[in-house]
């Protein structure tokens, strides 16, 4: 197997991994280990070319540094990618990639991401100890979605307090995009808190279930972003807040769990200019990585650790929204600056 270093000025270590005998080409990007070992998932996609795969690994690993720091976890940011159609992966390919991860000696921990299954991660784990999100094992953390949803629910309440002066969600309307692993838990919590739900999902069965369970009103997937509501909670896909959609929004705030909701950095400012309060996604959805962290850090009292870290994230979000209001700036810009400060390695 050929493992070669790739130059990337903003990253600590990036390697290209190649093993032609098993059809493997991929990258491991370690953005920062200032706060601890880099953690972030392994993704397999039919990228257009190597440059696109590398770009994804660099961007996502940086995002993980910020997300882990926002959650005040002793973890850095990393991400790995394999080029190719996930239908074409083989145990030999995954095992080879596992050996490449192992060669970094624990500076990078991987987990499941797009194109990977728990079974695939078990194959990777056969070659390296630096794998989290496993279904079995002493510290196995299981499905992170309920914890992610808990964090988003708190983020919605905090955002409501800043935007409306009260975190009471009784009678508030929340438009919810996506009723998957995270969205369905969030819908239940919002319903129990007395919120009125307007939902959309491309999977009609999930919409029917939410109508029955939570009395939710359903709209077509292409209509959800223009629904009049108090708060929009995006819990499906990324880049939904962009030049085209932001002018169409009819909400006072956005707080949800989807990763990378802003298409570009300028979209945070666009929301701010429209007076729409945005809870930065990498703060609001930190519950998932907190749950995974209990496995990496081998935490015995998982529930206690999760409670403590989720409470810390609440404080962080509250401060970000306060500072954003004081400075009349986008909370996303404030969040990046606040969390970025934590990433500066303390002087030895
Ligand atoms: P999921 O795949 O279980 O659910 C996504 C849902 O969105 C599905 O029901 C899908 O049908 C629906 N959907 C897809 N495109 C849609 C569209 N255009 N309009 C409406 N609905 C659409 O995923 P998940 O685990 O619930 O994660 C949701 C989002 O939250 C993702 O962006 C994910 O990266 C992010 N996230 C998840 C976790 C976690 O713990 N699962 C943690 C952090 C962030």
């Amino acid at each position: 197997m050929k493992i070669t270093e790739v130059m990337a000025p903003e990253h600590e270590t990036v390697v290209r991994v190649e093993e032609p005998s098993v059809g493997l080409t991929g990258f491991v990007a370690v953005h920062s280990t200032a706060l601890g070992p880099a953690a972030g998932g392994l993704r397999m996609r039919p990228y257009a070319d190597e440059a696109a795969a590398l770009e994804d690994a660099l961007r996502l690993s940086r995002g993980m540094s910020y997300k882990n720091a926002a959650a005040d976890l002793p973890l850095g940011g990393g991400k790995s990618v394999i080029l190719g159609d996930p239908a074409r992966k083989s145990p030999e390919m995954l095992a080879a990639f596992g050996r490449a991860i192992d060669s970094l000696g624990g500076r990078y921990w991987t987990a499941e991401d797009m194109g990977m299954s728990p079974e695939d991660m078990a194959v990777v784990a056969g070659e390296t100890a630096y794998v989290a999100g496993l279904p079995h094992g002493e510290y196995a953390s299981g499905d992170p979605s309920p914890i992610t949803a808990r964090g988003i629910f708190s983020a919605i309440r905090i955002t409501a307090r800043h935007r409306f002066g009260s975190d009471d969600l009784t009678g508030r309307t929340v438009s919810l995009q996506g009723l998957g692993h995270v969205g369905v838990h969030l819908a239940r919590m919002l319903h129990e808190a007395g919120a009125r739900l307007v939902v959309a999902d491309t999977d009609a069965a999930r919409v029917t279930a939410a109508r029955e369970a939570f009395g939710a009103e359903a709209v077509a997937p292409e209509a959800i972003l223009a629904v009049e509501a108090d708060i929009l909670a995006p819990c499906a896909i990324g880049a939904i807040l962009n030049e085209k959609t932001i002018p169409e929004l009819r909400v006072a705030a956005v707080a949800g769990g989807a990763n990378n909701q802003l298409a570009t950095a300028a979209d945070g400012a666009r929301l701010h200019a429209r007076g729409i309060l945005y809870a930065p996604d990498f703060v609001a959805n930190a519950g998932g990585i907190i749950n995974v962290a209990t496995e990496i850090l081998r935490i015995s009292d998982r529930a206690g650790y999760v409670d403590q870290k989720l409470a810390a994230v609440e404080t962080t979000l509250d401060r970000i929204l306060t500072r954003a209001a004081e400075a009349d700036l986008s909370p996303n810009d404030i969040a990046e600056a606040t969390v970025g400060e934590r990433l500066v390695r303390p002087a030895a």
Side-chain angles (χ1 to χ4, degrees), residues 1 4 24 32 61 68 71 124 156 185 220 266 282 305:
M1 185 162 44
T4 44
L24 170 67
S32 167
S61 57
N68 293 338
V124 176
I156 288 176
H185 289 292
F282 65 95
Y305 188 83

Side-chain angles (χ1 to χ4, degrees), residues 6-69:
V6 177
M7 286 308 293
E10 213 201 315
H11 287 64
E12 270 179 37
T13 307
V14 181
V15 293
R16 178 180 180 277
V17 181
E18 187 182 12
E19 179 48 78
S21 68
V22 295
L24 170 67
T25 307
F27 294 94
V28 182
V30 173
H31 175 259
S32 167
T33 58
L35 299 177
L42 164 60
R43 174 175 285 200
M44 182 166 182
R45 287 186 69 185
Y47 290 103
D49 52 31
E50 280 199 29
L54 175 61
E55 178 59 31
D56 212 27
L58 295 179
R59 186 178 63 86
L60 293 167
S61 57
R62 179 182 185 277
M64 288 308 301
S65 289
Y66 278 77
K67 185 188 286 213
N68 293 338

Side-chain angles (χ1 to χ4, degrees), residues 272 320-330 334:
H272 182 67
I320 287 168
L321 296 184
T322 301
R323 283 177 63 183
E326 285 166 2
D328 193 17
L329 284 170
S330 144
I334 298 289

